[in-house]
Amino acid sequence: QYLGYAVQKTNFFARPKTDISIMPNPVFNNASIIIQAEELGDINCVLLDMGGKTIRTYQFKKSSPYVQHILDMYNVPKGEYILSIRGATINEAKRILKQ
């Protein structure tokens, strides 16, 4: 017996998987940021101290799903920092310890 209920198709769009790592951490001179994500295009990274002050910015273009980019931290003072990583769909933050 049909009760008048309509079956509707629903699509769930999963957010594309993004894997970001900073190596080595703790950092001594330079670090590498490794991003595995389908998104391509401009990546903007901002190194912030724990008070939110911008210490350094890094910009690069992501032209493949896997990218490794060197972050020059040689002249960054020892301490704890936050690296804000932004792209079209990427919006993450990673904690970095500079030794």
Side-chain angles (χ1 to χ4, degrees):
Q1 186 176 21
Y2 179 67
L3 299 176
Y5 294 106
V7 176
Q8 293 190 354
K9 181 179 177 183
T10 303
N11 290 321
F12 292 97
F13 295 102
R15 187 172 172 217
K17 182 173 175 3
T18 300
D19 187 23
I20 299 175
S21 55
I22 309 291
M23 298 172 62
N25 195 4
V27 177
F28 294 95
N29 291 319
N30 294 327
S32 290
I33 182 169
I34 300 164
I35 304 175
Q36 279 188 269
E38 291 301 314
E39 176 185 325
L40 304 178
D42 294 330
I43 302 292
N44 295 301
C45 299
V46 180
L47 187 67
L48 304 162
D49 67 13
M50 297 312 282
K53 179 182 172 197
T54 298
I55 303 300
R56 186 161 289 178
T57 60
Y58 308 94
Q59 296 177 325
F60 55 95
K61 190 166 284 296
K62 188 171 175 299
S63 57
S64 67
Y66 175 92
V67 69
Q68 181 172 347
H69 186 80
I70 300 295
L71 304 175
D72 176 10
M73 294 186 64
Y74 186 78
N75 291 321
V76 173
K78 292 180 182 181
E80 197 170 354
Y81 298 91
I82 299 293
L83 183 69
S84 170
I85 305 121
R86 303 254 168 126
T89 62
I90 296 171
N91 183 6
E92 295 203 20
K94 296 285 183 184
R95 195 172 283 249
I96 298 177
L97 183 61
K98 171 70 190 297
Q99 294 281 308

